[in-house]
């Protein structure tokens, strides 16, 4: 990446604050809590598209897929700026940069937006305007592993501690943006009441073209086969890992220290097997079954 093109990120983002606060019991960055009223009163527009996820479920992947769908597969245009500039993160306030709300307000329609908020904290205007939402869900075990490494490298979030410590914190929902269960079940339960497309990370890994087609149809676009192929190629893990617009290499190491763990880390289903101890897996499966019983939501943890 040519740092001259994006000096802003390295110069302005030097001050990193990893303090957490909470809103209605959900742990969120302190800077987010400070401007919570502004975030909650955010004004959505009817033609917005919102990507909603629990952290590490495949947000960046979906951002790139949807951006390319909206651009009819124009890769050159999709490279216009880093993924976090193209797609405002509505509840983020990376001081001294503009908040996600300010960035979104300054954008022309149609806007592509991102959130990790659980349903109860989503600004109500998204429901009022009946905005199309793409919810990406990823199995809890792989989310936990990915989040553990992310909290190690992201200097704006609290340090995760050891893997064993993190296992307890994560399963108790004591991590930024709160618990996986509340988030995923909350969004699953309301999905038929609104324009929400529920997409599984594991399904995109299994057959990216099928899922890209499904997403484009949800957005009212019938794309030609060659365009679907282009989008599939440009959003593959190997391409996105090398792409400075998607691999977060434009951020300084004072924010994302990619020498600790890269943002585009492994991109696989089943990496949890390299982290979970046998005893942890037993405890996890028992608790998981209790919490998910009767919900009708099934995840694959291996392919
Ligand atoms: N193209 C593609 N293919 C497969 N996997 C991908 C892709 N892009 C991102 N990823 C993986 O998604 C994980 C990052 O999740 P998020 O983008 O949701 O992170 S964040 O919440 O926005 O910080 C992180 O998962 P792990 O590798 O398991 O850590 C990324 O590697």
């Amino acid at each position: 990446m040519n740092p001259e093109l994006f000096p802003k990120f390295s110069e302005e983002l030097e001050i990193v604050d990893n303090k957490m606060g909470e809103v209605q019991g959900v742990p969120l960055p302190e800077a987010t809590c400070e401007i919570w009223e502004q975030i909650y009163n955010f004004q959505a527009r009817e033609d917005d598209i919102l990507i909603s996820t629990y952290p590490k479920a495949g947000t960046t992947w979906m951002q790139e897929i949807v951006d390319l769908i909206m651009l009819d597969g124009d890769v050159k245009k999709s490279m216009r700026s880093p993924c976090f500039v193209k797609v405002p993160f509505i509840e983020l306030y990376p001081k001294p940069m503009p908040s996600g709300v300010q960035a979104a307000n300054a954008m022309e329609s149609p806007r592509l937006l991102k959130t990790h908020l659980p349903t109860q904290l989503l600004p109500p205007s998204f429901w009022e305007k009946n905005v199309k939402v793409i919810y990406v869900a990823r199995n809890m075990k792989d989310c936990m592993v990915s989040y553990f490494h992310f909290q190690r490298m992201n200097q704006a979030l609290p340090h995760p501690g050891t893997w064993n410590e993190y296992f307890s914190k994560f399963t108790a929902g004591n991590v930024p943006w709160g618990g996986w269960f509340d988030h995923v079940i909350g969004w699953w339960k309301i999905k038929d009441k609104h324009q929400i497309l529920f997409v599984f990370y594991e399904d995109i890994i299994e057959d990216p073209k099928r899922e890209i087609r499904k997403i484009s149809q949800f957005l009212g676009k019938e794309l030609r086969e060659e365009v679907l192929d282009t989008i599939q190629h440009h959003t593959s893990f190997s391409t996105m890992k090398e792409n400075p617009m998607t691999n977060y290499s434009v951020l300084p190491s004072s924010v994302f220290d990619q020498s600790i763990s890269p943002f585009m880390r492994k991109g696989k289903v089943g990496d949890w097997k390299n982290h979970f101890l046998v005893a942890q897996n037993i405890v996890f499966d028992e608790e998981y079954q209790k919490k998910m019983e009767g919900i009708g939501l099934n995840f694959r943890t291996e392919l």
Side-chain angles (χ1 to χ4, degrees), residues 202-239:
E202 295 74 23
D203 289 349
I204 323 179
I205 291 273
E206 180 183 66
D207 190 342
K209 196 169 169 185
R210 178 191 66 204
E211 298 304 304
I212 295 168
R213 183 182 284 112
K214 199 194 285 175
I215 297 156
S216 61
Q217 286 168 347
F218 174 72
L219 298 175
K221 287 222 168 212
E222 279 297 337
L223 298 178
R224 284 180 291 114
E225 290 301 306
E226 308 92 85
V227 174
L228 292 172
D229 289 335
T230 303
I231 297 177
Q232 175 176 347
H233 173 74
H234 190 73
T235 59
S236 68
F237 182 80
S238 53
T239 308

Side-chain angles (χ1 to χ4, degrees), residues 96-258:
M97 304 278 287
S99 68
V101 169
Q102 287 167 327
N105 286 345
M107 246 175 124
E108 281 178 16
S109 293
R111 304 179 296 189
L112 180 55
L113 307 169
K114 154 184 171 176
T115 187
H116 289 320
L117 291 171
T119 54
Q120 70 275 20
L121 296 186
L122 192 76
S125 70
F126 281 101
W127 308 126
E128 288 154 17
K129 295 281 161 56
N130 198 24
V131 167
K132 280 191 180 167
V133 181
I134 300 171
Y135 186 86
V136 191
R138 185 180 192 185
N139 81 75
M140 186 174 170
K141 290 179 180 178
D142 283 329
C143 265
M144 189 193 310
V145 169
S146 183
Y147 212 172
F148 170 66
H149 291 294
F150 188 59
Q151 286 198 232
R152 289 171 58 231
M153 65 82 92
N154 184 345
Q155 307 307 305
L157 293 180
H159 192 271
T162 64
W163 166 251
N164 286 348
E165 286 163 352
Y166 194 70
F167 182 89
S168 307
K169 279 188 222 169
F170 186 94
T171 46
N174 189 13
V175 289
W177 281 271
W180 181 95
F181 290 110
D182 290 343
H183 204 281
V184 177
I185 295 174
W187 278 94
W188 176 254
K189 282 190 172 163
I190 57 145
K191 75 176 186 352
D192 298 328
K193 291 195 196 138
H194 304 277
Q195 297 199 84
I196 300 175
L197 180 72
F198 221 86
V199 183
F200 293 89
Y201 177 95
E202 295 74 23
D203 289 349
I204 323 179
I205 291 273
E206 180 183 66
D207 190 342
K209 196 169 169 185
R210 178 191 66 204
E211 298 304 304
I212 295 168
R213 183 182 284 112
K214 199 194 285 175
I215 297 156
S216 61
Q217 286 168 347
F218 174 72
L219 298 175
K221 287 222 168 212
E222 279 297 337
L223 298 178
R224 284 180 291 114
E225 290 301 306
E226 308 92 85
V227 174
L228 292 172
D229 289 335
T230 303
I231 297 177
Q232 175 176 347
H233 173 74
H234 190 73
T235 59
S236 68
F237 182 80
S238 53
T239 308
M240 283 181 60
K241 191 175 171 67
E242 295 309 317
N243 179 353
M245 298 301 160
T246 53
N247 65 14
Y248 281 91
S249 58
V250 294
L251 290 184
S253 57
S254 59
V255 183
F256 280 8
D257 190 343
Q258 303 219 32

Side-chain angles (χ1 to χ4, degrees), residues 230-300:
T230 303
I231 297 177
Q232 175 176 347
H233 173 74
H234 190 73
T235 59
S236 68
F237 182 80
S238 53
T239 308
M240 283 181 60
K241 191 175 171 67
E242 295 309 317
N243 179 353
M245 298 301 160
T246 53
N247 65 14
Y248 281 91
S249 58
V250 294
L251 290 184
S253 57
S254 59
V255 183
F256 280 8
D257 190 343
Q258 303 219 32
S259 69
I260 297 175
S261 179
F263 183 87
M264 297 292 299
R265 197 182 60 89
K266 286 197 179 171
K268 288 199 161 37
V269 180
D271 189 40
W272 63 271
K273 289 181 192 166
N274 298 316
H275 293 75
F276 276 52
L277 303 174
V278 174
Q280 282 176 334
N281 199 34
I282 293 169
V283 172
F284 180 97
D285 284 348
E286 255 175 42
E287 188 62 18
Y288 184 87
Q289 263 145 34
K290 272 192 234 154
K291 289 253 171 57
M292 297 297 275
E293 205 182 328
I295 304 290
L297 181 52
N298 299 310
F299 283 90
R300 290 184 288 171

